[in-house]
Amino acid sequence: MGTIWIALSKPTYGIHGTPDPSKIGKTESNGCIRLTNWDAQELAKMVKVGASVEFVE
């Protein structure tokens, strides 16, 4: 895991940074959304507790 963790309402699901950005989109995840550490840190500054997250295909 990277430098930041943004928990979602479903246990063990979250948005986080990764120390290896070259693997984003190439490795499997169990419910997490991985961003570069710098993007995850920027996102964490923009969202507040209780913000709604919607997954759209």
Side-chain angles (χ1 to χ4, degrees):
M1 186 143 82
T3 59
I4 205 95
W5 171 262
I6 302 169
L8 301 177
S9 59
K10 188 170 181 175
T12 73
Y13 278 55
I15 302 170
H16 63 83
T18 179
D20 191 355
S22 67
K23 292 187 177 179
I24 293 174
K26 295 180 178 78
T27 56
E28 208 171 298
S29 176
N30 291 319
C32 291
I33 298 169
R34 285 176 288 178
L35 306 173
T36 61
N37 279 329
W38 54 89
D39 285 339
Q41 290 169 350
E42 192 64 28
L43 178 62
K45 293 177 193 173
M46 294 188 283
V47 297
K48 305 288 182 231
V49 172
S52 179
V53 175
E54 184 176 338
F55 291 92
V56 180
E57 289 188 50

